[in-house]
Each structure stands twice: as structure tokens, then as C-alpha cells.
Amino acid sequence: MHYGHELQFGTFITPTNDPPQAAVRLAELAEASGYDLVTFQDHPYQPRFHDTSTLLTWVAARTERVHLAANVANLPLRPPAVLARAAASLDLLSGGRFELGLGAGGFWDAIDAMGGRRLTPGQAVEALSEAIDVIRGVWDQGERARLEVDGEYYHVSGAKRGPAPAHNIPIWIGALKPRMLRLIGRKGDGWLPSLAYLKPGDLAAGNRTIDESALAAGRDPREIRRLVNIGGRFSAGIGGGFLDGPAAQWVEQLLPYVIDDGVGTFILASDDPATMQHFAAEVAPALREAVAQELRHADAANVAETTWVGRSTAVRAKRRAGIDYDALPVALAAHAVEPGDAGYARVKSTYMRGGSPGLVLRPGDAEEVAQAIAFARANPAVPLGVRSGGHGISGRSTNDGGIVIDLGRLDAMEVLDASRRLVRIGAGARWKDVAAFLAPHGWALSSGDYGGVGVGGLATAGGIGWLVREHGLTIDHVRAVELVLADGRIVRADATRNPELFWAVRGAGANVGIVTAFEFEVDEVGDLGFARLTFDASDAAGFLQAWGDWVVDAPRDLTSFLIMGGSRPGEPRVAQVMAAVDSDDPETVLARLQPLAEAAPLIGQDVRITSYRAVISNSDDAAHAAEGEPTARSGLIGRITPEFAHDAARFLDSGATYFFQLRAVGGAVHDVPAEATAFAHRSSEFSVVAFGSSRQQTPERWRELIGPHLDGAYLSFDTEQGDEQVEAAFPPATLARLRAIKAQVDPDNVFRDNANVRPV
Ligand SMILES: Cc1cc2nc3c(=O)[nH]c(=O)nc-3n(C[C@H](O)[C@H](O)[C@H](O)COP(=O)(O)OP(=O)(O)OC[C@H]3O[C@@H](n4cnc5c(N)ncnc54)[C@H](O)[C@@H]3O)c2cc1C
């Protein structure tokens, strides 16, 4: 029986401590030779052996691609809850390259000598079974309740869960006897015996036992990979015996193990560099080819689907209704994350919003984005979210039970033409990474105030950043996009090709397709002045007026954002002012700041000459873990009038907001004609945003006190999604043009998770 597993090759290296680096060098050689896996035996009682866990960690740091496992970890000396955490940590640190080989014990005198518990074979099976429950329980970070496993051998009471590993770490069990094989069928992900301990027919019999046990437990036998440790010798003459001859003989002798016994992984036990290299160069590719040929001609009844990328029964049990998971193309399935997958906790929510999608697709190129869109269209009953950096406020980019297309893997950056400062940036990149990429060239691209925000969401909407008054919106720097449309076409849109799409994508991009890459013309930006000033704003209206006048009357090299909140009893209300001055001359920077410094008592200040890159490096890479739904309202205004300042102060006093922000949006933004892009409100001076904790009070007070002063909206900051918001963002002529484009390229309204412009 062939189980449909892609054939893999590993090495089985003695973890010898003599000299200390020897095992590490062999592991590096294995990676360089093309092996998929490096394993070390785990006998923590051997006098001249490294501790295998420590060795694996070291090797993980010294390698980049190869997967790693103990062959197999000695459970009696490694408490399972700790083993689970160690495995998850190493998996995360190595980028999903750790697999868990696990053994019940065996050398009981040595285990006993090290303080481990001596068990009978029957007890050891039971203990291993309990340990698997503990390990999987610790990994299950999605489960809120603390872990309880009341076993005979492992009693875990109220253990905290996590971290979840980077990928579904398979548990491969080293075993020979039927009781253990039945346990593999019930709970394991792989069977890992050494061929030297097996008689002819043992593999087939073992497989039968495992398969029957798996089926009885409601599992698919293909969930269980079959691995074997092998050893042998390369020699010139044919006929030396099993795995004792030239490479061609090895291939011939190993082939039946794949075709008849379903072996998916051969692990070569050898510490000899020449043998390792010869096997990788001569046996592995030839065996792969022989297997492929054999499968092409094989009796279909004896051969499962050629590649098994299905999820385990446990993962499938957490699938959501309305999504035909099994119809997912293989390439997408390999990187998709489902609710039962280990990495789900890291992708389900966004920066602002808690979510529980049924499937997160992570395409690796535009073709796969097209496949993802087609898949979403074939599952129309569930919502679709599009995610780049997951910082959407208006855009949902997560949902409950739906599909999310996450572009995080499309984060490549390259310089296309240095003379024009033309760069190509993947939609999944973050702005702090873009800044770091541009900095060595002396360039920058004004984006926003937070480095964690994604390129895709911001550069399709506007982009009000630290250099906006001097260099305009982020969209004003877009020269072309690669865009995947609702019907799966991958198009380029620029000033001459698909100009209508190019117009729409700059301000309303979320409605017309998925941008996979942008071409930006960036600016030369040297060091700049950056100030964080805290003012006593007890006179809120007076301070708003002074700040607004200061910004509008300043040269364009100054851009400033202001944050105010409610005041605490007994403390003055404070205003936080951030300001960038595009000059590395301290005198110029101070001259720009001076007028504001005189407007109100200054209670805190930090002014420095720094780089744009440093300013935007203000986010970490932690996974998003928001819960619930945010409430935010936003709009655009012209100059700050005394009336606005008065009403804004009343709004603050009402307690309707805990975070009230104004961003300068004038200067160079005004230079672009209103009809040039779908972002049409080109005469505004400020964007106003209020976050509140009440879904009733915040919108009501906003409507009453701020609403009358607004003239348009920048949608990115508003959590409301109705027609009113869409009409506020897009003036009538812009909206009519957008609706006509939408009717052409997305008549079925596939892209609707963000301030939806419905097709005419
Ligand atoms: C902490 C924080 C600070 C911010 N600061 C600023 C700021 O200073 N200036 C500013 O202008 N904005 C700012 N924003 C708003 C931000 O620009 C938007 O929320 C933006 O949509 C986030 O982009 P993202 O890719 O991270 O979000 P995501 O949540 O990934 O996407 C948001 C929405 O954008 C659309 N979208 C995403 N990727 C694509 C794509 N590749 N193609 C087509 N549509 C796509 C989708 O509809 C999606 O729902 C800020 C937001 C936060 C949370």
C-alpha cells in the first residue's frame, strides 16, 4: 500500500560529543547535500553523547532549510509537558522545521540509573499514550481552559497552554510491537522503526495493524507517515547483499519498500560524510524517479492519491460549514491555516479585531492569489476577507467562519530603476520593512505613523504619513500595480495600461481586486527632526486652534499628528503632539517647533535628529491577538475653526472617546487634482479620528458634535461600513465612476469586506 506521501530522505547521526562540533558539521553537510531531515538518537545516559535536545537547538540555528528530529526522544527522561514546550519553541525558532520523534523507553537500567521510572512494556505504551495527550494539549493554544490530564503516569493539573508550534508538528513513534502500533493508529502521525530490527513481512504486518487501528479510531491511515531507519554500505560489486553494493542496487532494493510498504521517509544511519553524500547524490534522486515511474504504471487500487496534503481527523473535526476544504488546490492547501491547525491562534485575529475564520489562505504568488479568489468564489456562502498587514480598521480582513486571503508571504522588495528611485514592493510587506529597505539608498516613502501596518491596505486607500505635507499621500507615489481581478485575471495597471483601474486602485483599491505588488517612485529623504511634545491642554479648544494654525501656516517640511483623550480626575488634560521636520539642521527643526511651544505649557519633550527608518520602527512582530470589535469614526476637515475647536472640546468632555487624533493632510496632497485618483478630497487640511468604547454613545456624540464640521472622509479609519460612509469618502462623480468600474471588474461584488462600493 502506498500512502501518497511525498518521498523524503533523512540522516541519522550519532550525537557524539567527540569532538563537540562533529555532529553539528555532519548536520550542516546533510543540509548542503539536499537531505530533507536530520535526526539524532536520544540516549541521554550515554557518556560521550550530547544532550539531543540541546544539539537540535544548536543545529537549528546553524541550518536554514532542513527539518530536525530526535530519533527518537526518550520519553521516560523527558517530562511531556516540558517536551511539548521545548518542541514548540524550537519549531517557532526554526521556522517550522521541528518534528517530534518519540519513544517509550527501553534501556530501563540506564533510564533507572538516571532517575527515570522503570516501566513494563505494557505500562510504557500507556505512559506514551498519556504523554501524547499532554503534548497535544499543551500545543492547543486555541483552547482557553487550562490543561487537565489525569493519567496513571502523567498527571497534569491546570497547566497553562502554549506556545503553539509554527506548524502541526507530527508525532512519529519509534515502535515494533502490536500494542504500540495500535497506539500509533489511534494517536500517532508516523511510524519510525529501524529496518535492522524487522524481519521480512514485519513492515506489511505492522502497517496492517496501524491501519486497522486508525480506521477503528475514525482516522485515515494516510495521516500516518511510514519512516524507516536504514543502514548500508556502498561498494562497487553487485550482489553483496541488502544495501551493500552500488547506488543502483540500493535503488532497486529500496523501491519495493515505497511501493509495497508505503515507506515515505528513508533515514540513513551513517556518520561517514562520503556515504551521506553518495546516498544524497546517487540514491535519493534515482529512487524518487523510480517511484514516480512505478506509480504511473501501478495498479490504482493499491495506490492512494499521489500526494497526501490532507489534514488529520482531529484538524478536520474543527472545520467550519460552508467551505469545501477538500477542493482546495494542493499548493494553497500546503500553506493554508485551518481552525484545528497549530498556527491558527496567530492568524485568526487582526490588530484591531478578534476573528475566527474558517480558513486562512496564504498564497505565494499572483497565480495562487487567483486560485484563492476562485476558491472563495466557489464557496459563496461564507464571507471573504483580504489581508496584507492585518491593521484594517474599516477593512475587516478577518471574519467568523469565512475565508481570508492573507498576502503576508508576498513581501518581496526590489529596486527596479535606481535612477528613477523606482521600487517594487509586495503587498504583504510592512511599512517598517519598506523603510529599512529604502534607508541604505537614502530614500523613504511616506506611509503612516506605524511600522506594523501593511503595504496592501494602506497603499490602496491613501496613506497619511509623516512626510505627507511635503511628499503627498502614499498613493501619489504609485506608478503601477499588479492586480488580481475577481475573475482571476492578473493585470498590470498604470497610467497607460488599464488606466481606469489604476485610477480606482489609488483610493478605492479594496473594491476592485487584490493588489499583489506595487511600483512606487520614492523620495530622497535624509535624516530628519522628530519631536514628541506633551502639552497641558486644559484649554482643549484653545490648544486645538493653536495647533491647527501652526500646522497649516508652517512650511511643508513640517507634518504633525495630535492625540488627545479624556482627562483624569485631578489631572490636566494633555495633548500629545508628534511632529516630523524634514531637515537634519537642528536650528531649522527648533525654528519650526518654536511657535507651538509657546502655545501652551509644555510638560514633556523629546526632540531628536533621527532617520525616517528609526521613526517608523515602532512596532514588534508579535502575532495579532485582538478580541472584539473596535468602534471608530472619522472624517476630513479644512482649517480648524473656533467652532470646530469648541465642539471637539465638548466631544472630548462627553467621554465619548478615549483616543481622538488629528493628522495633517494638507500641503502636497493639494497638488494632485481631485479627479486624478479615487481619493478625491484633495483640499482637506486634517483627518480626524475618534476611537470610543461605546457603540452607541461614540457615534451619537460624533454625529452631533463633529459631524457638522466634516467635509469628506478618509475611509481607512472608520469602522462603520454603510452607504453613508462610502458617500462621505467618495464625492458623487468619483462614486459614479467607481461604481461603473466595479460593475465591469467585480459585478458579483466578491471584494466587499471594506467600505463597499456596490456595482451599478
Ligand atoms: C495602529 C494603526 C496606525 C495607523 N496609522 C495610519 C496612518 O498613520 N496613516 C494612514 O493613512 N493610515 C493609518 N492606519 C490605517 C491603515 O492605513 C489601514 O487600516 C490599512 O487598511 C491597514 O492596512 P493593512 O494591510 O495593515 O490592513 P489589512 O487589515 O490587512 O487590510 C485592510 C483592508 O484593506 C484591503 N486590502 C488589504 N490588502 C489589500 C490588497 N493587497 N489589495 C487590495 N485590498 C487590500 C482589504 O479590504 C482589507 O480588509 C493605521 C491603522 C492602525 C491600526
Side-chain angles (χ1 to χ4, degrees):
M1 172 74 179
H2 182 266
Y3 294 92
H5 294 135
E6 199 184 333
L7 193 56
Q8 295 187 340
F9 298 95
T11 54
F12 188 10
I13 299 170
T14 312
T16 181
N17 179 26
D18 194 12
Q21 291 292 344
V24 179
R25 277 197 288 270
L26 285 177
E28 289 171 313
L29 176 68
E31 175 166 83
S33 307
Y35 283 90
D36 304 293
L37 177 69
V38 167
T39 71
F40 299 102
Q41 49 183 296
D42 183 31
H43 296 293
Y45 30 73
Q46 293 288 23
R48 289 174 47 225
F49 278 16
H50 283 295
D51 167 62
T52 299
S53 300
T54 309
L55 178 61
L56 283 165
T57 307
W58 192 276
V59 170
R62 304 277 307 199
T63 52
E64 288 181 354
R65 181 192 54 80
V66 79
H67 285 234
L68 304 163
N71 191 347
V72 286
N74 190 304
L75 179 63
L77 291 174
R78 301 196 181 276
V82 178
L83 184 62
R85 280 177 178 250
S89 298
L90 189 47
D91 195 47
L92 290 163
L93 288 166
S94 66
R97 294 192 285 131
F98 185 72
E99 326 291 12
L100 186 56
L102 204 51
F107 297 88
W108 294 110
D109 288 344
I111 289 167
D112 186 49
M114 290 285 287
R117 182 172 171 186
R118 187 187 290 271
L119 300 174
T120 66
Q123 290 173 328
V125 177
E126 272 311 301
L128 182 56
S129 174
E130 290 173 13
I132 292 174
D133 295 344
V134 171
I135 291 167
R136 292 208 199 283
V138 169
W139 285 343
D140 190 358
Q141 213 176 1
E143 183 60 58
R144 279 166 176 259
R146 293 196 179 182
L147 181 63
E148 305 283 341
V149 176
D150 187 14
E152 175 78 28
Y153 305 93
Y154 297 110
H155 181 76
V156 175
S157 178
K160 291 184 183 168
R161 299 178 193 256
H167 80 305
N168 298 332
I169 297 182
I171 298 181
W172 298 333
I173 297 171
L176 295 171
K177 298 283 167 48
R179 254 185 305 193
M180 203 62 98
L181 297 177
R182 285 197 290 275
L183 174 64
I184 294 175
R186 289 198 308 278
K187 296 187 178 177
D189 303 306
W191 178 27
L192 174 46
S194 290
L195 212 49
Y197 298 137
L198 298 176
K199 298 188 305 294
D202 278 359
L203 267 183
N207 277 335
R208 267 197 306 280
T209 306
I210 291 173
D211 294 355
E212 282 166 14
S213 164
L215 289 168
R219 302 180 72 203
D220 184 329
R222 292 177 302 169
E223 293 176 30
I224 300 155
R225 182 173 271 273
R226 320 295 153 130
L227 312 92
V228 282
N229 295 318
I230 56 170
R233 188 170 80 94
F234 289 107
S235 55
I238 296 197
F242 185 68
L243 301 188
D244 183 357
Q249 183 186 319
W250 283 55
V251 173
E252 195 180 310
Q253 292 175 336
L254 291 178
L255 183 61
Y257 286 95
V258 183
I259 302 302
D260 302 334
D261 296 316
V263 171
T265 306
F266 290 105
I267 303 177
L268 177 70
S270 173
D271 295 327
D272 173 40
T275 305
M276 280 170 56
Q277 284 173 302
H278 196 65
F279 181 89
E282 302 297 331
V283 178
L287 185 56
R288 276 202 177 101
E289 179 50 37
V291 168
Q293 251 192 35
E294 199 68 26
L295 290 181
R296 276 197 289 273
H297 302 121
D299 170 8
N302 197 34
V303 177
E305 285 167 39
T306 46
T307 312
W308 165 253
V309 287
R311 295 300 205 272
S312 70
T313 307
V315 171
R316 295 170 75 90
K318 293 194 175 172
R319 288 180 165 178
R320 305 286 299 264
I323 301 177
D324 184 5
Y325 292 86
D326 292 330
L328 202 57
V330 170
L332 283 179
H335 291 276
V337 187
E338 302 187 15
D341 282 335
Y344 183 68
R346 279 189 290 277
V347 299
K348 69 192 183 90
S349 296
T350 62
Y351 185 81
M352 303 291 302
R353 226 170 232 112
S356 48
L359 181 64
V360 178
L361 299 175
R362 301 188 307 132
D365 57 28
E367 288 289 348
E368 286 184 17
V369 171
Q371 288 180 19
I373 294 172
F375 181 80
R377 296 194 68 159
N379 293 271
V382 298
L384 169 65
V386 176
R387 181 186 300 168
S388 286
H391 281 67
I393 300 169
S394 61
R396 270 30 191 172
S397 77
T398 189
N399 52 45
D400 180 18
I403 294 167
V404 171
I405 300 178
D406 183 328
L407 303 163
R409 290 174 64 214
L410 303 184
D411 60 354
M413 297 181 264
E414 63 174 311
V415 175
L416 294 178
D417 181 349
S419 68
R420 289 172 57 206
R421 298 188 303 276
L422 193 66
V423 297
R424 181 182 160 98
I425 308 285
R430 311 293 176 117
W431 287 110
K432 69 171 177 186
D433 301 325
V434 177
F437 173 70
L438 299 178
H441 302 273
W443 302 338
L445 174 54
S446 180
S447 51
D449 61 1
Y450 194 62
V453 169
V455 169
L458 183 135
T460 47
I464 302 171
W466 287 125
L467 302 171
V468 67
R469 292 186 71 243
E470 187 172 22
H471 293 299
L473 299 168
T474 309
I475 56 167
D476 299 336
H477 295 259
V478 180
R479 297 293 171 261
V481 292
E482 179 183 76
L483 182 68
V484 188
L485 301 177
D487 62 7
R489 270 181 300 148
I490 302 168
V491 300
R492 179 183 172 89
D494 57 27
T496 53
R497 262 169 292 184
N498 299 304
E500 279 298 278
L501 279 176
F502 186 52
W503 172 84
V505 101
R506 290 170 298 157
N511 271 288
V512 294
I514 297 183
V515 178
T516 45
F518 299 81
E519 289 177 21
F520 294 109
E521 187 178 324
V522 300
D523 296 301
E524 261 170 16
V525 177
D527 278 355
L528 44 77
F530 194 77
R532 292 169 198 278
L533 309 174
T534 307
F535 290 92
D536 177 335
S538 303
D539 173 10
F543 186 77
L544 277 167
Q545 182 73 64
W547 176 80
D549 289 346
W550 169 67
V551 172
V552 175
D553 296 337
R556 284 184 174 188
D557 60 10
L558 178 118
T559 293
S560 179
F561 297 177
L562 170 139
I563 300 170
M564 289 170 92
S567 52
R568 295 192 185 152
E571 290 179 26
R573 165 171 287 128
V574 297
Q576 315 262 7
V577 171
M578 274 83 69
V581 180
D582 188 11
S583 169
D584 60 1
D585 170 30
E587 297 301 321
T588 307
V589 174
L590 289 178
R592 294 289 182 273
L593 299 176
Q594 195 58 38
L596 186 69
E598 288 159 11
L602 189 57
I603 52 181
Q605 57 172 310
D606 178 324
V607 185
R608 56 184 74 187
I609 302 291
T610 181
S611 64
Y612 180 81
R613 175 190 184 172
V615 171
I616 205 82
S617 295
N618 54 358
S619 68
D620 60 25
D621 293 323
H624 297 148
E627 291 180 11
E629 270 285 314
T631 298
R633 302 303 322 269
S634 94
L636 295 168
I637 56 172
R639 281 193 84 108
I640 291 181
T641 60
E643 294 75 22
F644 171 81
H646 175 75
D647 283 345
R650 285 175 62 206
F651 182 65
L652 284 162
D653 286 340
S654 76
T657 183
Y658 62 82
F659 181 93
F660 184 71
Q661 185 173 40
L662 281 91
R663 287 175 163 85
V665 65
V669 180
H670 299 175
D671 297 346
V672 177
E675 65 284 0
T677 65
F679 184 106
H681 292 290
R682 291 285 178 170
S683 55
S684 312
E685 292 290 356
F686 298 101
S687 144
V688 191
V689 187
F691 279 88
S693 36
S694 159
R695 216 165 281 175
Q696 204 185 341
Q697 194 203 9
T698 306
E700 269 178 20
R701 292 280 96 80
W702 174 272
R703 187 181 292 274
E704 172 197 344
L705 294 168
I706 307 295
H709 303 280
L710 300 179
D711 181 17
Y714 173 42
L715 274 181
S716 277
F717 292 125
D718 207 306
T719 49
E720 296 295 311
Q721 287 217 311
D723 286 347
E724 197 183 321
Q725 276 68 34
V726 173
E727 282 160 21
F730 305 113
T734 308
L735 190 53
R737 192 168 163 187
L738 278 174
R739 287 199 166 125
I741 295 170
K742 180 86 173 169
Q744 270 184 5
V745 296
D746 186 16
D748 300 330
N749 206 10
V750 173
F751 303 114
R752 57 186 182 276
D753 84 277
N754 191 358
N756 192 204
V757 173
R758 280 192 295 274
V760 174

